[in-house]
Amino acid sequence: MAFRDGPFENLKVPLAWTAAAAVIVVVIASLALIVSDRRDVRDHDSYTPVRAGFDAVMGPVSGVLAAPVRWAGALTDGVKGYFFAVSENRRLKAEVAELQPWRDQAIALKNVNARYEAMLGLRTEPAVAMVTARSVSDARGPFVNARLIDAGSAKGVRIGNPVINEHGLVGRIVGTTGGVSRMLLLTDVASRTPVLIDRTDARAMLTGDGSGNPRLEYIRGVGALQAGDRVLSSGDGGGFPRGVPIGVAAKGIDGSWRVKLFSDRGAIDYVRVLLFQDFGQLVNPESLNAAPLAGLGTAPAPDAAEAAAIDDAAARRAAQRDAAAARARAAAAAPPPAATPAPAAPRPAAPPAQTAPQTPGGAL
C-alpha cells in the first residue's frame, strides 16, 4: 500500500513550517550541548540549576537511547562468534595439544618434588648423617631382591649402612664402589634384621624369604605379638640404629607371623643411606669427657666455726705426725742392748756300766 493510499494522502505540510520546526529543534539541541559541555565559565552558580536539570533529564534518555546500541554490539559479537567458531575451535585444540606435554611434565615434577620434600624432612634422634641416592638398577629373581644405587664410598657409604625411604626401612648396603653401591632389600633370602615389637618391646628376627612380606622368627615372650603391632629396628648387634620403622605385623596364610613393610607404600626409586657405623658416633665425646662432679667445684665457703674446727683437726693430725717422727728418731739414736750368753744346753747322762755275768767256776 502506497503512502498516498493511506489516511494521510490528503495531508499537506507546508515547507516553511517544516524548516522552522527543524531550526528550532537544532537550536534547542545546540543550546543543550553548550550548557552541558561548557567547562570554562566564571560563575558556576549561574549555570548550576540549568545543568543539574539537564543532567537529570538526559540521564534516563541517554540510557534508553544507549540500550539499542548495546544490543546491537552484543548481536554483532554473537554473529562473529558463530561464524568464527570453527577456526576458534581449531586454535583451542592446537593449544591443548601443545600444552598436554607440559601438563604431564608438571605432574611428574610435582610428584618428584613431593618425594624430595618428604625425604629431606626425615630426621633421626639422635641425628645421623645421611646421603640421598637414586635407584639405577633392579635385580629381582626367585631368591634375590637387590638394587644398585648411585652413591658409593666417595660419599661415605660403607657396607652395612641402613637404607630408608620416606616411609621406613628398605634394606642395607652389602657392597660398595666409588660411585655405586648394592642395596640388599629386606625381602631377600639373605636378609636378617633384628627387630622389636613397639607395644611390648619384645625381640624377634626379621627374615626375608623372597616374598613381599618377610617372616618374624624367634619371637621372645608368650603373647608378645598381635596383629597390627608396629615393628621397629631394635639396634641389637649395632648394625642398625634403634627405632627405625619397618612395618606392621600380620598373620600369614601359612600361620606364620609376617610384616607388611612400610617401604612398599611408595616406589623405591629415591632412598637415603644412613651413614651409621656404631652407637659411639651418636654420643657427644665432650659429654663423655666431662667431670662427673663438676657442679661441686663452686661450693660455698665454710663459716668461722667450721674453719676453726677444720684447723684444729689439721693441727692435731700434724702433732700426731710430729710425735711419731720423734719416737722414730729416738729409737734410731739409742745404743743396742748388750748380748747375754746363751745358757748351755744340758749334757745327756752317761748310761750305766754293764758288768759281766759271773760264772759259778770263779772269775774269768
Side-chain angles (χ1 to χ4, degrees):
M1 182 179 65
F3 182 76
R4 62 178 178 270
D5 297 332
F8 302 101
E9 59 180 349
N10 297 323
L11 180 64
K12 297 181 180 180
V13 180
L15 182 61
W17 289 101
T18 304
V23 171
I24 293 173
V25 172
V26 172
V27 171
I28 293 174
S30 301
L31 292 175
L33 293 176
I34 292 172
V35 171
S36 62
D37 192 56
R38 189 171 181 181
R39 297 293 184 268
D40 57 347
V41 295
R42 298 180 181 273
D43 190 3
H44 294 276
D45 296 336
S46 61
Y47 291 94
T48 299
V50 179
R51 298 178 64 182
F54 180 80
D55 293 339
V57 174
M58 291 301 297
V61 175
S62 299
V64 173
L65 296 178
V69 178
R70 291 194 300 269
W71 297 339
L75 181 61
T76 303
D77 294 338
V79 172
K80 288 182 178 179
Y82 177 78
F83 284 106
F84 292 99
V86 177
S87 61
E88 185 70 14
N89 190 19
R90 293 175 180 174
R91 185 182 65 83
L92 292 177
K93 285 184 177 180
E95 290 184 358
V96 169
E98 183 181 357
L99 295 175
Q100 189 69 31
W102 291 95
R103 175 181 176 273
D104 297 338
Q105 294 180 11
I107 294 175
L109 291 176
K110 181 181 178 181
N111 295 332
V112 172
N113 289 335
R115 296 283 306 279
Y116 278 150
E117 290 177 358
M119 294 186 65
L120 291 176
L122 294 175
R123 296 291 185 272
T124 58
E125 184 62 33
V128 179
M130 301 183 188
V131 173
T132 304
R134 183 171 60 91
S135 176
V136 296
S137 177
D138 187 4
R140 288 187 177 272
F143 303 104
V144 178
N145 290 325
R147 294 193 177 188
L148 295 180
I149 59 176
D150 59 352
S153 58
K155 294 184 178 181
V157 179
R158 299 181 181 180
I159 296 177
N161 288 156
V163 182
I164 63 175
N165 63 359
E166 65 270 27
H167 300 291
L169 185 65
V170 175
R172 58 186 173 89
I173 300 298
V174 295
T176 180
T177 62
V180 179
S181 298
R182 180 175 293 276
M183 173 180 62
L184 188 71
L185 301 181
L186 294 176
T187 55
D188 190 273
V189 294
S191 175
R192 300 292 186 274
T193 306
V195 298
L196 62 86
I197 311 305
D198 189 20
R199 181 178 58 87
T200 60
D201 201 28
R203 298 302 197 271
M205 184 66 69
L206 185 67
T207 304
D209 58 356
S211 65
N213 304 114
R215 296 194 310 270
L216 279 175
E217 298 179 346
Y218 311 108
I219 304 172
R220 302 179 185 177
V222 179
L225 184 61
Q226 295 180 1
D229 287 344
R230 282 169 48 89
V231 179
L232 311 175
S233 62
S234 65
D236 297 338
F240 292 84
R242 179 187 175 98
V244 179
I246 296 178
V248 177
K251 202 73 171 182
I253 300 177
D254 55 355
S256 62
W257 283 106
R258 295 183 175 270
V259 176
K260 298 180 180 179
L261 299 176
F262 289 147
S263 58
D264 289 342
R265 295 178 179 177
I268 309 176
D269 49 0
Y270 294 97
V271 295
R272 303 201 77 180
V273 182
L274 299 179
L275 304 182
F276 177 82
Q277 295 298 319
D278 52 40
F279 291 99
Q281 72 183 89
L282 305 180
V283 181
N284 187 4
E286 297 180 357
S287 61
L288 295 178
N289 297 329
L293 302 179
L296 301 179
T298 58
D303 55 10
E306 294 178 354
I310 294 174
D311 294 340
D312 188 15
R316 286 198 301 271
R317 288 194 297 269
Q320 291 175 0
R321 288 195 301 269
D322 294 341
R327 287 194 299 271
R329 288 194 299 270
T340 56
R347 298 178 64 183
Q354 296 181 358
T355 56
Q358 292 182 2
T359 60
L364 293 176

